[in-house]
Amino acid sequence: MRTFFFGVDIGTQGARVVLVDEYGEVVGAGEKKFALSEGFREEQNPDMWWECCLEIVDHIVENLNIDKNKIRAISVTSTSGTVIPLDSSNRPLHNAIMYSDPRSAEQGKRIKHLATQYNPNAYTGFNASSGISKMVWFVETYPEKVGAIHTWIHASDYIVGKLSGNYRITDYTNVLKSAYDLEKQQWPSYIFDELGLKPEWLQEVVPSGTVVGKLDKSLAARWNLPELDVVVGITDGCASQMASGAVTPGSWNTTIGTTLVIKGVTERNVVDPLGRLYSHRHPEGYWMPGGASNTGADWISLDYKGQDLGELNGIAATLIPTGLVAWPLLQDGERYPVMSPQARRIVPDTASKELLYAANLEGVAFIEKLAYEIIEELSQRKSQCCLYGRRRK
């Protein structure tokens, strides 16, 4: 019997929803750009995400010609490191604090030092892009709101909560940068003793793929759907890795969106003392090492908006190699394959937009090359990504 599944993606600049069957065939899809303010890389209104999701699903279900009773489940993917404080009514006390918000840089440094001191065998690469850094920043910046905090959640958790009413459960992938110890499978004591967070603020953590509730009855009625299983969310990088088929030891994936994300699967944890590379926990017990660069493809959508990308790609193919050095970093600071909060964009001296476009493409490719070289070095053996080949989405 053919069955169907909804997938929701809350990206940095828009929301997407797909309805697929068990073979991955798309039977319905839609997307909507967010109405973003100038500070969208620092904060966004999560209710804006939800309203976009509602509109997209409304459109999809209105145009379906399948048996809706065969739709089984829905889940959500979103950015890693984005967090939201909720009150006791599960309403946001503040906008979502985005993964790309640099304001918690000082807190990130402090947490990295504490993690290295108190929990050195777990993830210690905390910085401004980490969820835990943003939690501490919020507590220290808005002390008047601390008493109203009921739950800290991640971006995908907000949509899962809207769908199911359950905001108190998250998954392995979302909690890595919130300081959860994936080896011991517990929240470490130093985040309470040294940072002032409270245990009751933090969620229960379960493997990716866990069902956490049923579709809210009012939503089921609105869309004329059965009460679907609502599955815990997952970070966008891990979702793209799984979607590519890179789910068994030895397989790797590169995904380029707003950021460039490299993920793979190994039998043992790959530890990077510099914090550039980090490992998620695989639902089946393996490890999923990888990293995310702030340099991706956002420069294309912003710097070349409205231009014919097909034509630009054709011209770029004739210009490569350019002999130029370019780093199309749109915000200050880089996290992978180098960790540098002072990093700045490198723009080569050329008046040709076509040559600059080609040089920027090369720059992103060189970042990917360096990233895989670092993985190979840390593995201390012939990199599995070279043995098995890379899968790209």
Side-chain angles (χ1 to χ4, degrees):
M1 181 181 70
R2 193 180 185 199
T3 53
F4 305 91
F5 307 86
F6 273 111
V8 179
D9 173 49
I10 304 299
T12 305
Q13 301 182 50
R16 306 164 190 84
V17 181
V18 295
L19 181 65
V20 300
D21 66 12
E22 67 266 40
Y23 303 105
E25 180 180 343
V26 177
V27 296
E31 61 183 286
K32 187 174 178 63
K33 292 288 186 182
F34 297 144
L36 297 171
S37 65
E38 185 176 342
F40 75 95
R41 289 186 175 277
E42 295 181 351
E43 295 184 6
Q44 293 186 21
N45 182 350
D47 286 330
M48 170 185 66
W49 305 342
W50 176 238
E51 290 301 320
C52 287
C53 289
L54 286 175
E55 290 183 32
I56 299 169
V57 178
D58 283 347
H59 175 74
I60 291 174
V61 297
E62 285 173 4
N63 296 278
L64 285 179
N65 56 4
I66 64 168
D67 182 355
K68 293 181 180 178
N69 290 315
K70 294 182 180 178
I71 302 175
R72 295 283 305 277
I74 185 168
S75 192
V76 186
T77 176
S78 192
T79 53
S80 171
T82 299
V83 293
I84 309 163
L86 299 183
D87 65 16
S88 58
S89 298
N90 295 319
R91 296 298 309 145
L93 284 168
H94 193 82
N95 280 337
I97 308 170
M98 299 296 290
Y99 68 95
S100 48
D101 180 0
R103 293 175 294 177
S104 57
E106 186 277 327
Q107 286 80 8
K109 291 178 183 177
R110 193 190 331 154
I111 295 166
K112 179 179 176 63
H113 174 75
L114 290 169
T116 303
Q117 179 181 358
Y118 290 103
N119 207 26
N121 295 323
Y123 176 72
T124 60
F126 300 106
N127 53 51
S129 69
S130 303
I132 187 70
S133 306
K134 300 173 193 308
M135 295 179 197
V136 176
W137 173 85
F138 180 84
V139 167
E140 295 176 351
T141 305
Y142 299 98
E144 71 280 5
K145 295 184 178 182
V146 171
I149 298 174
H150 183 265
T151 309
W152 276 103
I153 66 170
H154 309 86
S156 64
D157 301 329
Y158 190 69
I159 305 303
V160 168
K162 283 289 190 179
L163 291 166
S164 68
N166 188 348
Y167 296 84
R168 292 293 301 182
I169 298 179
T170 192
D171 80 297
Y172 286 163
T173 66
N174 270 299
V175 292
L176 175 72
K177 295 181 183 178
S178 292
Y180 186 79
D181 188 327
L182 289 169
E183 287 270 14
K184 298 178 181 177
Q185 298 190 22
Q186 63 185 27
W187 294 100
S189 60
Y190 78 86
I191 68 174
F192 311 121
D193 299 338
E194 302 293 333
L195 297 174
L197 299 185
K198 297 181 179 181
E200 59 266 27
W201 290 348
L202 303 178
Q203 298 164 290
E204 177 187 351
V205 183
V206 298
S208 302
T210 301
V211 175
V212 297
K214 293 289 186 180
L215 182 65
D216 179 85
K217 291 181 183 297
S218 65
L219 293 173
R222 172 177 178 150
W223 294 325
N224 191 26
L225 294 175
E227 292 182 21
L228 316 177
D229 286 338
V230 179
V231 178
V232 70
I234 192 171
T235 61
D236 49 5
C238 290
S240 64
Q241 173 184 346
M242 292 185 175
S244 75
V247 295
T248 56
S251 55
W252 291 81
N253 163 257
T254 298
T255 299
I256 300 180
T258 299
T259 58
L260 182 148
V261 181
I262 292 174
K263 300 283 188 181
V265 182
T266 58
E267 294 182 353
R268 290 182 293 275
N269 195 0
V270 178
V271 178
D272 180 4
L274 298 181
R276 301 159 299 179
L277 190 76
Y278 50 89
S279 290
H280 287 287
R281 193 69 184 254
H282 192 286
E284 297 179 0
Y286 300 125
W287 291 91
M288 298 161 63
S293 169
N294 288 339
T295 310
D298 54 351
W299 58 273
I300 297 176
S301 59
L302 296 176
D303 293 351
Y304 291 85
K305 184 177 181 179
Q307 299 191 37
D308 187 338
L309 296 183
E311 180 181 357
L312 279 172
N313 288 335
I315 296 172
T318 68
L319 298 174
I320 292 173
T322 65
L324 300 175
V325 176
W327 188 358
L329 179 65
L330 292 194
Q331 66 181 88
D332 292 348
E334 183 56 284
R335 51 193 170 131
Y336 185 67
V338 295
M339 183 75 73
S340 174
Q342 295 82 31
R344 301 290 186 273
R345 183 176 189 172
I346 298 175
V347 182
D349 185 14
T350 175
S352 167
K353 69 177 184 180
E354 293 84 4
L355 189 57
L356 177 60
Y357 180 84
N360 283 344
L361 290 177
E362 287 181 316
V364 175
F366 289 140
I367 286 173
E368 183 194 22
K369 181 176 184 292
L370 177 58
Y372 276 110
E373 289 173 349
I374 288 171
I375 292 169
E376 184 171 349
E377 177 185 354
L378 291 171
S379 297
Q380 296 182 346
R381 57 190 172 87
K382 186 67 176 177
S383 175
Q384 291 175 315
C385 65
C386 298
L387 291 172
Y388 291 87
R390 303 175 193 167
R391 293 186 175 95
R392 289 183 176 84
K393 180 183 177 184

